[in-house]
Amino acid sequence: MHISEGVLSLPVLASGGAVAIIGLAFGIRRLDPNDIPKTALLTAAFFLASLVHVPIGPSSVHLILNGLLGVLLGWAAFPAIFTALVLQAVLFQFGGLTTLGVNTVIMAGPAIFFGLPVRLLIVKKAPSARTVVLAAGAAGAFSILGSGLLAAASLALSGEAFSGVARLILLAHLPVAGIEAVITSISVAALLRMRPEMILPGHGRMSVASGFALIAVLAAGDAEAHRLNVFAWDSGDLVRGEVYFADGTPVSGARIEAACPDGVVVFSGVSAIKGAFSFPAPCCSSVRIVADAGMGHRAETTLELAETLRSVPERGETLQPSSVGIMRIDALTPSAVEAILDERLEPIRQELARLARREDRVRLRDVVAGLGFISGAAGLALYLAAKRERKKNTPVSPTT
Amino acid sequence: MPCERFADGSSLLHGADPRLKILEAAAFSFVVVSLSKFGPQVISLGMAAVLVLIARLDPRELVRRLLIVNVFIFLLALILPWSVPGQVLLSLGPFHASLEGAREAASIAIKCNAIVLANMALLSTSTVFSLAHALSHLRVPPKLVQLFFFAWRYLHVLEEEFETLMRALAARGFAPRTDLRTYRTYANLIGILFLRGFDRGERVHRAMLCRGFEGHYWLLTHFRSSSTDFALAVSIGAALAAVAAVEWFPPWSS
């Protein structure tokens, strides 16, 4: 949907322009110079696809396919859609210079928001063809709905007078979303059959992990895969710990810094091989450990120190460490062993609980996939109903 | 596909420096968008009309494009009077059309047409390639300019492929209807179109590597602004300043 020149208010135009510049800067930075011809040709295909008019009932709509472009190009969809809009402005005077920013955000924003998670899902998880098709269909539908929502919002924000028009525009996008879902999913299925590498690019091409700062907001689900974790436990005299990425890869050479609650830094060093680190337990109630693996990968954890277990000579009243095993070994009843084990296992138990909590959280990906499944199922049901209806009403035409 | 229909010509604007024309079109658009009073808006429409006259554009093509652009404006003009409260102009049962709504619609129509006319006179009188060239001189990021350049360069190549596909469909008696079969056919068509684009892009890239492409274009020719270009820029700038002055310091209001 293009919004013409002279309609939107200045604040809307300015904020659209600002967001578009940020998106463009980000999209261009991530665009490999070697991919420019390919991206440009897909831009041209996207431009041409918008000239295809698909009949719907007595009327027809032209395809937009911003979701498909988002799935195929990822972040590069932003400069690609911008380019297509510039071409349209120069060639047909659809939209102009002042609305370029807003229109780019309206079309490219949802394309990336919904296309990128699907793309990441495909690249990282290599799901079955059916999942790919369903997810692509969902990306197609939701990109259009998102575009309609943004177009309506920018009109409504420009003045009270436009709220009626905004509502109409939103309504007009609903059938388009249905058609785009069907077209996007079937095209993706066709591409997957004909040229899978177009959708499943070789590894290393997409350095998904780098530059996750912006996308983390959009695709929290997959950002999780490269989140840095630090896990520490109290083992008597030493605090030991490990640094690892959320997928389990240990990180050696990460900078570790530990501080007491009062801010005194008690340890500073790097993690050794297998991401392990250790330092003497400080004399405070808890210690905050910050691990930094560079490139914005940071993690921190706070470890409660159990003071009663530690040998603190000044206090004296607890056991001397060297004598625990020897002198009291005979005094250890099974229940005492259990108590000690419980105490020692407590942090592990807590960490397990934390992991379980994280696993339980519904991720964006799941939401998208779920919505996609619903829309796909609804579409299928409608199609079958329509087909039965048609069979009932129209006699089979003699085609042969 | 209607393309650079206005780019051929020998008018003053056809020969003008595209860098300055881009800047002038941008300045014109932003000033006109910010106008809220009727008088300045009409003056800006007059300015745009003068530019179109100077550019000597083909009137039939001009009208055709204006009609397309005005479809959306027409829809707005149909809706706005009924959705803006104000002095009643016309009543149909429970609905009232307001004078303010009609004014709002008229203001949008004038501003939009002024900008579209000015863009046609200033931007469409250059070829897309020279605009891309000018953009790279205006320090637009080179990757973006290349994307624009390649997209335009291969748009027609891909369009031919697309027409071939459409002809093949027509030859097989395909008639679009509202059913899944049509949608599936179109979806496969789109899939093939994107596939051809992808393959062609890959081939273009390899061919360019063969020829020693290192990721950037050397700009061998540079635009030179003549005194006519500067005169044009100064007069457009002065006219815009005058319009802005009338908007913010109305001479008749004191």
Side-chain angles (χ1 to χ4, degrees):
Chain A
M1 183 67 217
H2 285 93
I3 296 180
S4 309
E5 296 272 57
V7 177
L8 299 177
S9 70
L10 282 181
V12 173
L13 291 175
S15 39
V19 175
I21 287 174
I22 295 171
L24 270 179
F26 201 74
I28 290 173
R29 257 238 319 265
R30 296 172 58 82
L31 180 60
D32 184 343
N34 289 322
D35 284 344
I36 288 177
K38 220 160 44 199
T39 310
L41 265 290
L42 292 182
T43 305
F46 168 70
F47 184 99
L48 283 173
S50 72
L51 302 177
V52 177
H53 281 260
V54 174
I56 169 163
S59 151
S60 76
V61 294
H62 76 82
L63 294 175
I64 302 176
L65 295 180
N66 54 345
L68 177 60
L69 207 61
V71 173
L72 290 180
L73 288 179
W75 269 106
F78 211 102
I81 287 174
F82 175 79
T83 305
L85 288 178
V86 172
L87 275 175
Q88 287 193 335
V90 174
L91 296 177
F92 312 142
Q93 280 79 42
F94 285 175
L97 295 173
T98 61
T99 48
L100 206 51
V102 174
N103 280 333
T104 307
V105 173
I106 286 175
M107 306 245 306
I112 291 169
F113 192 91
F114 295 108
L116 206 57
V118 174
R119 183 178 178 77
L120 293 180
L121 169 85
I122 294 170
V123 172
K124 289 208 144 182
K125 299 277 144 73
S128 69
R130 219 183 49 190
T131 316
V132 171
V133 168
L134 276 181
F142 284 98
S143 298
I144 294 299
L145 289 180
S147 292
L149 210 61
L150 284 178
S154 36
L155 275 172
L157 286 174
S158 288
E160 276 294 307
F162 296 119
S163 53
V165 186
R167 237 170 278 148
L168 266 182
I169 284 189
L170 203 54
L171 272 180
H173 276 79
L174 289 179
V176 185
I179 290 179
E180 296 259 328
V182 175
I183 302 265
T184 306
S185 62
I186 298 178
S187 326
V188 167
L191 287 175
L192 212 57
R193 274 198 314 273
M194 295 188 289
R195 196 62 49 88
E197 64 267 31
M198 218 173 132
I199 301 176
L200 309 165
H203 280 287
R205 228 330 149 47
M206 293 239 317
S207 53
V208 179
S210 68
F212 246 112
L214 251 169
I215 190 78
V217 190
L218 301 183
D222 276 277
E224 207 89 306
H226 236 86
R227 221 182 68 159
L228 193 67
N229 278 339
V230 56
F231 175 45
W233 66 94
D234 175 6
S235 67
D237 291 337
L238 286 176
V239 172
R240 295 175 188 278
E242 267 176 32
V243 194
Y244 52 91
F245 281 126
D247 60 0
T249 333
V251 183
S252 54
R255 281 222 337 261
I256 310 289
E257 208 169 79
C260 284
D262 52 4
V264 179
V265 176
V266 291
F267 173 74
S268 139
V270 293
S271 61
I273 203 157
K274 292 212 166 166
F277 62 88
S278 65
F279 54 89
C283 290
C284 45
S285 61
S286 72
V287 57
R288 204 169 78 95
I289 301 166
V290 178
D292 186 348
M295 310 245 298
H297 292 303
R298 264 169 74 90
E300 60 173 79
T301 181
T302 304
L303 178 67
E304 300 291 330
L305 296 177
E307 277 186 72
T308 46
L309 272 173
R310 186 148 18 265
S311 54
V312 186
E314 299 90 69
R315 292 205 185 161
E317 34 89 25
T318 40
L319 328 161
Q320 289 295 315
S322 54
S323 60
V324 178
I326 306 160
M327 289 179 64
R328 299 280 182 98
I329 193 86
D330 49 335
L332 282 177
T333 59
S335 66
V337 172
E338 238 163 60
I340 291 172
L341 270 180
D342 271 356
E343 207 157 357
R344 287 286 164 103
L345 286 175
E346 187 55 30
I348 295 173
R349 210 173 282 152
Q350 277 173 8
E351 184 70 6
L352 279 176
R354 201 170 65 81
L355 282 174
R357 269 201 303 280
R358 182 137 56 88
E359 208 52 47
D360 283 346
R361 211 165 61 210
V362 180
R363 294 180 184 176
L364 179 70
R365 212 182 28 223
D366 303 328
V367 175
V368 170
L371 289 173
F373 182 78
I374 291 168
S375 69
L380 198 66
L382 282 174
Y383 162 62
L384 290 175
K387 200 171 161 186
R388 197 168 307 142
E389 195 72 15
R390 214 174 48 238
K391 257 187 200 154
K392 238 188 289 172
N393 292 339
T394 55
V396 179
S397 56
T399 43
T400 45
Chain B
M1 186 166 47
C3 287
E4 302 171 301
R5 293 262 171 85
F6 292 143
D8 284 339
S10 55
S11 75
L12 176 72
L13 287 177
H14 284 92
D17 183 345
R19 291 175 303 174
L20 283 173
K21 286 202 290 184
I22 292 173
L23 295 180
E24 287 156 8
F28 186 92
S29 305
F30 282 101
V31 169
V32 172
V33 159
S34 63
L35 297 177
S36 62
K37 299 205 179 89
F38 194 63
Q41 288 170 358
V42 173
I43 300 175
S44 69
L45 185 62
M47 261 181 80
V50 170
L51 286 174
V52 168
L53 285 180
I54 296 176
R56 294 203 301 264
L57 302 178
D58 173 20
R60 274 171 58 196
E61 177 71 11
L62 186 83
V63 169
R64 210 183 61 83
R65 291 197 188 189
L66 278 181
L67 280 180
I68 299 174
V69 169
N70 276 294
V71 169
F72 181 71
I73 302 295
F74 181 69
L75 285 178
L76 268 185
L78 277 186
I79 299 166
L80 275 185
W82 308 95
S83 64
V84 177
Q87 198 187 330
V88 176
L89 200 65
L90 179 77
S91 289
L92 279 182
F95 301 106
H96 306 286
S98 70
L99 189 63
E100 280 77 2
R103 277 217 187 108
E104 176 92 43
S107 135
I108 287 172
I110 293 172
K111 287 201 281 186
C112 180
N113 282 299
I115 293 173
V116 167
L117 284 176
N119 281 353
M120 280 196 268
L122 291 170
L123 297 180
S124 302
T125 46
S126 291
T127 60
V128 177
F129 282 134
S130 62
L131 287 179
H133 190 175
L135 284 179
S136 59
H137 279 289
L138 288 172
R139 310 229 179 274
V140 171
K143 282 192 200 169
L144 200 57
V145 176
Q146 279 183 34
L147 196 60
F148 181 62
F149 176 87
F150 280 117
W152 171 245
R153 165 69 183 80
Y154 288 98
L155 186 58
H156 301 278
V157 176
L158 211 57
E159 195 200 0
E160 268 170 31
E161 304 239 6
F162 180 63
E163 305 260 285
T164 313
L165 290 169
M166 288 303 264
R167 234 175 286 136
L169 277 181
R172 284 158 181 77
F174 171 74
R177 283 184 312 185
T178 307
D179 56 8
L180 193 70
R181 185 188 169 76
T182 303
Y183 293 165
R184 200 188 299 125
T185 310
Y186 274 134
N188 284 324
L189 180 79
I190 297 295
I192 292 175
L193 187 67
F194 275 80
L195 176 68
R196 298 258 169 98
F198 182 84
D199 285 351
R200 185 82 190 209
E202 199 99 288
R203 240 161 58 216
V204 168
H205 179 235
R206 276 193 223 122
M208 282 175 23
L209 289 182
C210 279
R211 287 157 180 76
F213 185 68
E214 287 174 329
H216 53 90
Y217 279 103
W218 299 100
L219 294 174
L220 296 179
T221 54
H222 294 268
F223 295 108
R224 199 163 285 142
S225 299
S226 64
S227 49
T228 337
D229 288 323
F230 283 120
L232 186 72
V234 167
S235 41
I236 290 180
L240 285 177
V243 168
V246 175
E247 163 87 11
W248 285 297
F249 312 105
W252 52 78
S253 76
S254 66

